[in-house]
Amino acid sequence: MCEISDEMLMAYADGELAQDMRARVEAYLAVAPQGRRRLAAFTATGRGLADIFDRPMREPMPQHLLDLVTGSQSERTRATRVFSVTPISLGRQQRPLPSTTRTWALAASFATLLAAGVGSIWFLQLTPTDADATYGLAISIDGKKTAGSALASALETAATGSSATRTINSQAASIRPIFTFGTGKSEYCRQYEVLRKDMPGLAGVACRETDGTWRIETQIAFAPRRSTDGGIAPAGRETLAPIEAVVNRMISGDVLGVDDEARVMNGGWRGAHP
Amino acid sequence: MTDDIRDRMVELLPRLRRFSYALTGNLDKADDLVQETCVRALTSADQWQAGTRLDSWMYRIAQNIWFDRMRAAKVRGEVVDVDAAIDLVGEDGRDVTESILTLKAVARSIGELPADQQMVLVHVCIDGLSYKDTADALGIPIGTVMSRLARARRALHSAIADDGSVDSPETKPIEEEVSNVRNLR
């Protein structure tokens, strides 16, 4: 029985050996107690080391380090822990959401939290780039940004709280209406989010024109950290601040409850505010 | 300075912080190390070659800072003590105490490894890269990865097997190159 080197025992412990070599190592270990002792040094120090030092992977990144790297004092970039994601209604306490909507917003946040597990997750609000401002969604007509067919069809038919999957630029995108509200100009607008795998997410507000198109009032890109299970998480409250500002400027009355929204949707997005 | 490298650094931050934590055994010290590493990386970003691994490059910067600090501390006659934050002990009882002691012991041992061994150990055992990917990342032969890794782990095992219940393997000279690496997949 030839001696097996430490390197080979280590590679065996790490699962790095091809089958024939693995068989040789096992044959050796079966008859060599000193080999089993040498092996123990490597099984005790394998890839499990990552678990010992995993706190930085579970806990939020200190803000000062993020600011340092992004070159920002919270101007260009804001980061928010997913754990502090708050219902999107929070910035608009002067106009509380109907309870059904608020419940959904909370439920959605927590569902995402659960799906996200305990990974270290935070969001970056990036300066919107032209590429993402126009990413398959918005086409410019007379200087106006109008939702492309995928986004428009989702906004036209998907209820608040649901998630519509559309293919945009050959890639699956999950489009989620966040809520619906009426404006002083007797039109209806919807805040939405678009989540894509491995790509910046998008958040925006679009309003239904009488000709059936959806005009993009504002849209920003944000970078969702992928969660540990490979899923993606929605925008945090900080990210949505510019969107909130647009909503607050435009909104007339309250956001629509679920029933009112369904009535307006079935009526072709016309008619006076419920 | 392109935004691209900043974005990639943001992506890398958690792992850089974990690397620093493994060197220092203390999150506050780790964050200090991460901060200085990022400052140096940003000021010398033009020295990073696109297409090479940003993580290996930044790890090396962190290592240099870490070894400078260790040397400076020794010159000043300070005991380099990763147990400074041991006040966490007892917070949640025995299990926590033991895991912190393990963490401190392992971190102390990792922190004192030669830089080359340290780098290989972190790539394989903490970042979870294969031997092959580690060899590619560091631009060294896979046999070198294995010999450095085996040395690092024998040292580590000796350090944590201090209660005598685990046999410390006898040390023996290791060939720098492993002859039969072709047997690896």
Side-chain angles (χ1 to χ4, degrees):
Chain A
M1 178 57 60
C2 70
E3 185 82 355
I4 298 286
S5 70
D6 272 10
E7 281 73 13
M8 282 301 122
L9 290 175
M10 177 184 73
Y12 172 75
D14 290 347
E16 288 263 353
L17 289 182
Q19 187 154 11
D20 57 337
M21 194 62 202
R22 203 160 61 227
R24 276 178 59 192
V25 171
E26 280 168 359
Y28 163 77
L29 288 172
V31 298
Q34 76 276 16
R36 293 196 289 275
R37 277 197 298 276
R38 285 193 291 137
L39 178 66
F42 300 112
T43 52
T45 57
R47 296 197 165 101
L49 281 184
D51 295 339
I52 299 179
F53 300 106
D54 71 339
R55 266 184 71 191
M57 308 305 282
R58 288 187 281 111
E59 297 182 1
M61 186 60 55
Q63 187 64 45
H64 72 279
L65 294 177
L66 281 171
D67 288 343
L68 171 66
V69 172
T70 56
S72 150
Q73 291 300 319
S74 78
E75 279 302 315
R76 196 176 81 94
T77 301
R78 289 171 199 274
T80 311
R81 295 167 51 191
V82 72
F83 305 105
S84 62
V85 166
T86 43
I88 46 180
S89 59
L90 214 75
R92 311 176 53 247
Q93 280 162 340
Q94 69 279 18
R95 271 190 295 269
L97 292 173
S99 61
T100 48
T101 310
R102 188 189 300 128
T103 303
W104 172 78
L106 275 169
S109 298
F110 290 129
T112 307
L113 285 187
L114 290 174
V118 292
S120 153
I121 300 158
W122 18 264
F123 303 98
L124 295 178
Q125 175 199 328
L126 305 174
T127 307
T129 62
D130 288 345
D132 274 310
T134 57
Y135 168 83
L137 304 171
I139 49 178
S140 186
I141 298 177
D142 302 332
K144 281 195 303 193
K145 303 256 186 193
T146 305
S149 59
L151 177 60
S153 72
L155 293 173
E156 187 79 11
T157 59
T160 286
S162 70
S163 177
T165 302
R166 296 287 187 274
T167 301
I168 304 173
N169 289 1
S170 309
Q171 191 192 23
S174 172
I175 301 172
R176 302 153 31 118
I178 308 294
F179 57 77
T180 302
F181 60 93
T183 72
K185 293 182 202 160
S186 299
E187 60 184 1
Y188 293 99
C189 304
R190 310 189 80 186
Q191 183 177 328
Y192 61 89
E193 272 182 10
V194 182
L195 301 180
R196 302 168 289 169
K197 200 169 187 306
D198 297 331
M199 297 280 286
L202 303 169
V205 173
C207 301
R208 175 66 150 66
E209 301 265 18
T210 50
D211 65 0
T213 59
W214 286 84
R215 180 185 77 252
I216 307 280
E217 280 292 323
T218 181
Q219 180 170 286
I220 61 167
F222 62 93
R225 291 268 312 167
R226 226 175 330 152
S227 54
T228 48
D229 65 349
I232 40 181
R237 184 182 156 220
E238 298 282 303
T239 301
L240 295 177
I243 304 288
E244 293 271 339
V246 170
V247 172
N248 283 332
R249 174 167 53 76
M250 298 182 70
I251 192 169
S252 166
D254 210 340
V255 301
L256 270 58
V258 172
D259 294 342
D260 287 337
E261 180 188 88
R263 198 155 42 239
V264 169
M265 192 181 287
N266 290 332
W269 299 96
R270 291 169 213 276
H273 293 179
Chain B
M1 175 67 52
T2 64
D3 283 354
D4 180 52
I5 193 171
R6 285 186 184 273
D7 289 347
R8 293 184 56 172
M9 284 172 64
V10 169
E11 285 283 315
L12 179 57
L13 267 181
R15 287 204 291 125
L16 179 64
R17 197 163 173 241
R18 179 170 64 177
F19 174 83
S20 301
Y21 191 30
L23 293 193
T24 61
N26 173 315
L27 264 189
D28 287 338
K29 288 183 183 177
D31 287 346
D32 282 352
L33 182 55
V34 169
Q35 178 168 338
E36 194 170 339
T37 301
C38 290
V39 168
R40 276 202 210 173
L42 288 168
T43 52
S44 55
D46 54 330
Q47 289 170 24
W48 175 64
Q49 296 174 337
T52 63
R53 291 187 69 111
L54 186 65
D55 54 359
S56 304
W57 183 70
M58 289 192 71
Y59 285 176
R60 222 180 288 282
I61 294 174
Q63 275 188 324
N64 289 337
I65 296 168
W66 170 246
F67 285 116
D68 283 350
R69 285 186 184 180
M70 295 239 292
R71 266 192 295 275
K74 278 177 183 158
V75 167
R76 288 195 302 270
E78 295 171 12
V79 176
V80 180
D81 183 11
V82 295
D83 285 0
I86 207 79
D87 55 342
L88 281 170
V89 168
E91 188 176 74
D92 273 330
R94 181 179 165 79
D95 287 348
V96 170
T97 307
E98 284 187 349
S99 68
I100 288 175
L101 289 174
T102 304
L103 187 151
K104 299 292 174 193
V106 174
R108 191 200 326 253
S109 179
I110 292 176
E112 292 178 350
L113 286 174
D116 287 345
Q117 293 181 30
Q118 203 174 63
M119 189 66 89
V120 169
L121 181 79
V122 168
H123 275 75
V124 173
C125 294
I126 293 184
D127 282 340
L129 295 190
S130 68
Y131 295 174
K132 173 77 167 61
D133 288 345
T134 302
D136 291 345
L138 302 177
I140 56 177
I142 195 166
T144 307
V145 168
M146 292 173 69
S147 58
R148 288 177 184 172
L149 185 61
R151 264 184 248 185
R153 283 161 72 171
R154 278 195 300 267
L156 209 54
H157 186 249
S158 303
I160 58 181
D162 56 357
D163 62 355
S165 64
V166 184
D167 290 332
S168 297
E170 65 279 27
T171 52
K172 61 169 192 171
I174 303 297
E175 302 299 320
E176 183 67 11
E177 300 292 335
V178 179
S179 59
N180 51 351
V181 286
R182 68 180 63 90
N183 289 318
L184 293 170
R185 61 173 154 77

